[in-house]
Structures are given as C-alpha cells and as structure tokens.
Amino acid sequence: MTAVEAVPAPGAAGALEVDPLLDDPGTRIVVCCGSGGVGKTTTAAALGLRAAERGRKVVVLTIDPARRLAQSMGIEELDNTPRRVPGIDASAGGELHAMMLDMKRTFDEIVEAHADPERARAILANPFYQSLSAGFAGTQEYMAMEKLGQLRARDEWDLIVVDTPPSRSALDFLDAPKRLGSFLDGRLIRALMAPAKVGGRAGMRFLNAGMSMMTGTLGKLLGGQLLRDVQTFVAAMDTMFGGFRTRADATYRLLQAPGTAFLVVAAPERDALREAAYFVERLAADDMPLQGLVLNRVHGSGAGELSAERALAAAENLDGSGMADRAAGQTGVGGPAATSPEAPAPDSTTEVPPAVAALTAGLLRLHAERMQVLDRERRTRDRFSELHPDVPVTEVPALAEDVHDLKALRAIGTHLAAPRQAR
C-alpha cells in the first residue's frame, strides 16, 4: 500500500505544526483525546518519542489497559511508576519514560499520603473502599487527573504526554472532577457523614431517629453489612474529601493554563469526526487550549489519477469482451503507452488473454473501491473543516502493519510533524 502524506484539509486553519509545539519549552503537557479506537495511544507514544529524540525529558502516561504502548517501546510491562524506555536516540540529550495508570494503586497512594497510618489502614481494608477504588464509575478518569497532577507537581519532566482513558464518551476525562465533587457533596454522603460528625452513641441515635427510613430502605437494597461498610468508609474519609476536590480543581485549572495543549485524535470516519467535533466544541466552552486535530489512518493511493468510474468502466470492458480499449480518453488503461509509436492506433483495441483480463479486471475493481474510500474520507474531512475552519489539521496515513516497535513510532512521528501536499 502506498501511503498518502499528511495534508491540511481544504478550508482549514492550515497544517498542525507539531515540532514547534514539542520543541517549545513552555509546552509542559500534551493531552491526546478522542473517542475509543482512533489511535490515541499510538499518537501519544509517537509524540513522546519524537519529543525525547529532539532533546526533551518526556513521560508518557497511558490509561490503555491493552499494553500496546509497552510492547511498542520494548518494555515487558508498564505499571504506576515511570520506566525509562531503552533504544531511543539520546544524542540531543532527551529521555523517554512511560507508565500505565494503575487506578487502584493511585487511589491507595492518595490515601497513604493524606491520612495517618492507622486511618489509612482502616480505609484500605474497608470493603466498600476496595470496590470503589477498583471500579466505581468515573474513578479511572479521576485517578488519571490525580496522576497527572502528581507528575506535574514533581517537575521532573520537561513534557508530560497523556493518553486519555478509553471510555464511551471522550468527555469523561474533563467531567471526572465535577462528577467526583457531586458524589462527595451528594445527599447520601452528607447523610452518612452526619453520625461521624456528631460522634459516638449520640451520632447513632441521630442517624436512627432522623434517617431510619432512608437507612432501612438502603439496608434492604444494599444489605446491612454493605451499609455499615459505607458508613465506616465515609467516616474514615471525611477529612480527605476536601483534599480530593481541591486537587481535582487544581488539575483542572492546570489543563486550562498556558503550557497545556490538547490534540483531538480521530479517524476519517463520520462517527469519529462527529465526536471529534463535539469535543472541539466542549474544549472551547471550557477554555481548554486546543492545538489541533490529528486525523489518523487516512487511506491513500499511488494511482490517484485513475478515478473509480474509469477503473470500473475498464473492468467492465475487460469482462465483457476480453479486449482492452486503448482509445484515448476512455478507460485510461495503458496510459502513456496509448500514444507511443509502438502502440495501436487510438481507435483500436488489444486482445487480452482471459486469465490476464480477469486478473486485471479484479485489480481495477479493487482500485475503484480504494478510490471510493478515499473520496468518502475526503468528504468527511472537508465537512469537519467547514464546521471548524479554525482548527489546524494533520493527517497520518494508514500503515500496512500494526505499530509494534520504536521504528514504527518514529514513522508515525514523522508523518505527524511533516505535513506536505498529497500528489
């Protein structure tokens, strides 16, 4: 497959300039976001590698549990601690580190850091906490925000590249702090905190007297033991709730600040670009600094001058008569040979062996299908650019093989950073 090179979409703000973004010492965070399955992890890894080989000390934080990032970087596995990636070109003085978010371990680290040892042990052993930290809705997105805040606070890396969580909605990452705040400020949590605030038997009398209906209903729905686990958890976590909100708000402001750049990643498909457009609008509404759109897995052809219509006409001609029409301006099959001194006269035809005719017709139909895909992708891209003419765009070609090593990541980085007009 011949890959088409990156090209700015017609009517768009121009090509996305990746190298100036990565080289700028003021750029400290790059967030790759978008819907699932569009190549966010690969894009984040390629950007991190390119930045490191251009002299920056980079850490790539992925939330993708598929471990593709570790494999492509030659690391057996990633965990909650940044690991240095071997094999990069460090001649410019850069370093590349990578890590994969461990949601539960990050939650545990927060508890251990912000609670005294006795309370931390009680929280970590609480059954409700164990369920919450392992899979409560929104916990992964919130913990990604927490880990980003931790990495930035350490000031150890020049650049942090974030691969946002694979979720049903690309907006979950931005909504996580707000959802957590709503959960912590909800009526149920406040009600369960009330006995701990009153204290001792008086607190339990208060709970039993004022909320017996609520707790009775909850006890039937959840079970008495689970309700007691929740109450114990809330009592132990009471002093930490404010810290969660404070850190979440601080990280949210960090995402809005100069030095952060959002890249929306999408495939040239209608649904993916529709969600990308929605995300672009949401980033603007939240004052998040959007840098541009990465259009991934764009198809190309080295024979783009042969249209789908002409290819299909030529295939039908071969199927119908076994003759290749060499007349100028008809099928285009034969190209320059039609005008060469040795070629048949313009109004003549050339008989083709049946096996060759069948093979040629099949190849022409495959080419026609490819050109139809290209046309559909072009229309989809142009529609996005019409709706968002101020968003810079760069395209990355669809590769013949999966990205599985540093060499392939370098190739992706080159396509990201060197958009040129397609031929």
Side-chain angles (χ1 to χ4, degrees):
M1 178 183 65
T2 302
V4 66
E5 292 175 328
V7 56
L16 174 62
E17 299 288 342
V18 170
D19 280 350
L21 172 70
L22 299 179
D23 293 344
D24 184 357
T27 303
R28 304 299 302 276
I29 298 172
V30 173
V31 181
C32 297
C33 51
S35 57
V38 297
K40 294 192 303 292
T41 300
T42 300
T43 300
L47 290 169
L49 175 61
R50 188 168 183 86
E53 294 191 332
R54 295 175 70 86
R56 303 199 71 182
K57 188 175 182 182
V58 185
V59 60
V60 178
L61 168 63
T62 183
I63 299 92
D64 186 352
R67 303 185 184 277
R68 290 189 300 269
L69 180 61
Q71 295 170 358
S72 65
M73 291 184 169
I75 300 174
E76 289 188 7
E77 63 178 67
L78 295 176
D79 55 23
N80 218 40
T81 302
R83 294 177 181 270
R84 188 163 182 169
V85 177
I88 76 163
D89 180 358
S91 59
E95 297 179 11
L96 179 60
H97 302 250
M99 62 183 298
M100 185 179 73
L101 178 73
D102 183 328
M103 177 177 66
K104 187 178 188 312
R105 182 58 202 150
T106 299
F107 211 151
D108 291 350
E109 289 172 354
I110 296 168
V111 171
E112 292 166 352
H114 297 91
D116 60 76
E118 182 177 353
R119 179 168 293 189
R121 284 193 296 271
I123 294 172
L124 296 178
N126 183 275
F128 179 75
Y129 167 79
Q130 293 172 359
S131 298
L132 175 70
S133 60
F136 188 79
T139 303
Q140 184 182 54
E141 288 78 14
Y142 177 79
M143 289 304 142
M145 297 281 275
E146 279 275 359
K147 183 56 68 176
L148 173 59
Q150 292 174 10
L151 293 172
R152 185 65 183 87
R154 289 165 63 177
D155 205 26
E156 183 176 347
W157 291 276
D158 299 334
L159 178 65
I160 303 168
V161 182
V162 182
D163 164 33
T164 52
S167 55
R168 292 180 60 187
S169 170
L171 305 178
D172 288 348
F173 183 67
L174 295 178
D175 286 335
K178 184 186 301 183
R179 288 204 313 273
L180 182 74
S182 298
F183 170 72
L184 297 179
D185 288 332
R187 292 181 179 178
L188 173 61
I189 294 297
R190 291 203 307 270
L192 294 174
M193 287 171 60
K197 290 183 178 296
V198 175
R201 293 182 178 178
M204 293 308 299
R205 285 196 299 272
F206 170 79
L207 180 64
N208 291 333
M211 298 175 204
S212 58
M213 182 178 295
M214 181 195 75
T215 55
T217 301
L218 285 173
K220 292 177 182 178
L221 292 173
L222 305 179
Q225 183 58 50
L226 177 56
L227 181 58
R228 286 190 291 273
D229 290 340
V230 173
Q231 291 171 334
T232 303
F233 164 77
V234 170
M237 290 284 288
D238 181 20
T239 58
M240 296 180 58
F241 285 161
F244 278 104
R245 283 190 293 269
T246 299
R247 289 190 303 278
D249 291 343
T251 303
Y252 195 81
R253 289 192 299 271
L254 180 65
L255 292 175
Q256 294 175 313
T260 297
F262 279 81
L263 294 176
V264 177
V265 183
E269 301 166 0
R270 184 176 60 181
D271 291 344
L273 276 172
R274 183 186 296 119
E275 186 150 2
Y278 185 33
F279 208 117
V280 165
E281 294 162 4
R282 170 64 188 275
L283 289 171
D286 285 8
D287 295 322
M288 298 291 176
L290 173 64
Q291 192 70 23
L293 172 74
V294 174
L295 200 57
N296 232 345
R297 302 169 187 159
V298 177
H299 292 89
S301 172
E305 68 279 359
L306 179 58
S307 69
E309 293 77 11
R310 294 175 67 194
L312 287 173
E316 291 172 1
N317 186 38
L318 285 166
D319 285 342
S321 65
M323 305 289 285
D325 188 351
R326 304 298 292 266
Q330 291 189 22
T331 66
V333 177
T339 60
S340 68
E342 296 79 11
D347 60 350
S348 69
T349 58
T350 301
E351 186 173 356
V352 180
V356 175
L359 176 60
T360 305
L363 291 174
L364 286 167
R365 287 193 171 88
L366 285 175
H367 174 78
E369 291 176 5
R370 169 56 61 89
M371 295 307 296
Q372 290 167 351
V373 169
L374 266 62
D375 185 59
R376 183 170 63 250
E377 290 181 353
R378 188 179 301 111
R379 291 197 306 269
T380 304
R381 178 200 64 188
D382 291 349
R383 174 60 177 161
F384 174 89
S385 295
E386 290 171 3
L387 294 173
H388 301 282
D390 297 328
V391 178
V393 180
T394 192
E395 296 183 2
V396 177
L399 303 182
E401 298 179 353
D402 290 337
V403 176
H404 60 274
D405 57 19
L406 292 180
K407 181 179 179 181
L409 287 176
R410 284 192 192 95
I412 295 292
T414 299
H415 287 295
L416 281 166
R420 290 177 294 202
Q421 185 68 35
R423 292 184 292 275

